Structures are given as structure tokens and as C-alpha cells.
Amino acid sequence: MNLQSPPAPLVIPAPSLTTLPVRGTDARFPVRRVYCVGRNYAAHAVEMGHDPDKEPPFFFQKSPDNLLTDGADFHYPPMTEDVHHEIELVVALSAGGRDVPIAQAMDLVYGYAVGLDMTRRDIQAGLKKASRPWEAAKAFENSAPCSELVPAAEIGHPVEGAIWLKVNGELRQEGDLTQLIWKVGEVIAELSRLFELAPGDLIMTGTPSGVAAVHRGDELHGHIAGIGDLKTRVI
Ligand code: MN
């Protein structure tokens, strides 16, 4: 006797799953959640008017369907005149858990990518001033351009190396992974105290200094040593 009921039919078509390409295979990585870390490089904290001291990390989320993949163009979003680029190291998880000890945190990591946390800075400034949530500034369509994933099984776990962003060939943001205030393992451990992590989760780990506005026609080129490149055009 089969005790399992058949799945209920859906009243509308199922929303599509967002997936990322993975270097070296035709198989793709399915995305469950997109977590982001705020102010994780001292020089960026300072440029945004905050203290560079090590405070507990804070988090916000984007939606998986905000991801912009496979080199697609970035469509300039509505309701803003000040969209900023934030180049970030992206961590992809193949395992999850709650209250993950730092010593085991890296076991959760599937791989890495180069990402952009695109931000409607003018909207964010208004939300900060009003002590309101950040979604309208952070979680809009196309707001998370992301490169292909590179498995840690191939490249290990990068802890140093250049992270930069060029706009129309001109260097705008430049830092090094050694400047991360909260390291990848610490971010995973801290995040797992607030949320139950699971396979398919992405973490955007924060941006170095040099954030600035983009304009239609701009060519964005991000790079992280040992991981790869992300290119997108603003249209
Ligand atoms: Mn960011």
C-alpha cells in the first residue's frame, strides 16, 4: 500500500528555479536563498560614513530571481537615479545547518563566484534615514549579477588575492580578500545562528571601497584572483 499522497496540482505554473553555470560542466547550481553581508571591508565602511571597527556582521537578502547570470545585460532599474556597483566574493553552499561551528563552516562550501550587489543608493539613503528595511534598495530585478561558479574542489578556498571592478576599462574598486573583516567561515557560522542554512544558498560577502554610480552604456568588468571574471553591460 502506498501511504504517500500524490502531489497536489498547482493552481498556476511553478515559478522557475534560478540556476548558476558551473565551470567545467554542463550541470548547473540551483539557488535557494541569496544572503548578503553589510560593511565587511573597513575602507568601504568608512566611505559610507561608519566606524571601521569590527562589529558583528549584519545581513540582508536578495531574492534568487534577482540573479543575473550567463553574462546577461543589466537593465537599469526604475525609481532611481543613483545605482551603485558593489563587487563581491560570492560563496555557494552545498550543505547547510544551524549553529555551524567555525571549524566546520568551510565544509559547507561548494564553490565561489564573482558577484555584484547592485544598489539603488538614493533609495537606500532614504530607507536608512527612516529606519526602514532595505529591500527596495537591494532586492530588485537584475540586482545580483553573478559569474559562473568555480568548485572549491578545483581551486580550494581563496583567502587572499585581488578583487577589483573596472567600469569602461577604468579601475573603480580595488581590494584584497585579506581585507575581509569577517572571513568566509566566520560569516557562515554567524549566519547559521540566525537562519538555517541549506544546499543552494549563496552568500555575497561584502564590497571593498570605491562604490560609485553606473550609467546606461557602461561596461562592468569584475575580477577576483583565482576565481574568475564577471562582465555585464548597463542598458
Ligand atoms: Mn554589498
Side-chain angles (χ1 to χ4, degrees):
M1 191 170 73
N2 183 4
L3 296 175
Q4 284 181 326
S5 1
L10 304 174
V11 297
I12 60 168
S16 60
L17 181 68
T18 300
T19 63
L20 293 175
V22 178
R23 186 182 296 169
T25 173
D26 289 336
R28 294 175 70 97
F29 180 92
V31 179
R32 190 187 77 124
R33 290 183 185 168
V34 181
Y35 294 104
C36 303
V37 187
R39 290 173 220 144
N40 203 17
Y41 290 77
H44 174 62
V46 169
E47 78 179 345
M48 296 303 290
H50 299 279
D51 204 299
D53 292 345
K54 185 167 181 167
E55 297 175 333
F58 71 92
F59 306 102
F60 57 91
Q61 293 184 42
K62 294 182 186 247
S63 298
D65 69 347
N66 297 154
L67 285 161
L68 185 65
T69 70
D70 302 276
D73 292 336
F74 174 82
H75 291 248
Y76 199 92
M79 303 292 284
T80 179
E81 290 173 2
D82 195 26
V83 175
H84 279 204
H85 52 72
E86 298 189 356
I87 185 75
E88 311 205 355
L89 169 69
V90 179
V91 180
L93 304 187
S94 55
R98 288 191 179 120
D99 297 323
V100 177
I102 290 178
Q104 287 156 35
M106 300 310 287
D107 297 342
L108 274 52
V109 176
Y110 172 78
Y112 298 91
V114 182
L116 280 165
D117 167 15
M118 302 302 288
T119 302
R120 291 195 274 218
R121 194 71 75 199
D122 42 2
I123 290 182
Q124 188 192 32
L127 295 172
K128 282 182 176 176
K129 205 171 171 184
S131 299
R132 288 178 179 159
W134 283 10
E135 277 85 354
K138 291 289 195 178
F140 55 89
E141 277 59 50
N142 290 188
S143 64
C146 192
S147 74
E148 64 179 0
L149 276 176
V150 188
E154 282 181 26
I155 59 163
H157 298 282
V159 293
E160 60 180 2
I163 173 171
W164 52 250
L165 180 79
K166 291 179 181 175
V167 179
N168 303 324
E170 187 181 316
L171 195 61
R172 282 271 191 93
Q173 289 191 260
E174 190 177 22
D176 193 285
L177 297 181
T178 56
Q179 297 166 341
L180 279 166
I181 297 172
W182 290 86
K183 308 305 179 191
V184 171
E186 294 174 314
V187 166
I188 291 170
E190 192 70 18
L191 198 53
S192 76
R193 298 175 65 203
L194 283 164
F195 304 100
E196 179 166 4
L197 301 178
D201 288 349
L202 299 182
I203 306 168
M204 305 188 77
T205 55
T207 195
S209 60
V211 300
V214 300
H215 303 93
R216 289 173 183 81
D218 283 349
E219 304 275 354
L220 310 187
H221 176 193
H223 175 85
I224 302 177
I227 297 175
D229 296 272
L230 166 65
K231 289 182 181 177
T232 186
R233 186 169 48 133
V234 181
I235 62 170

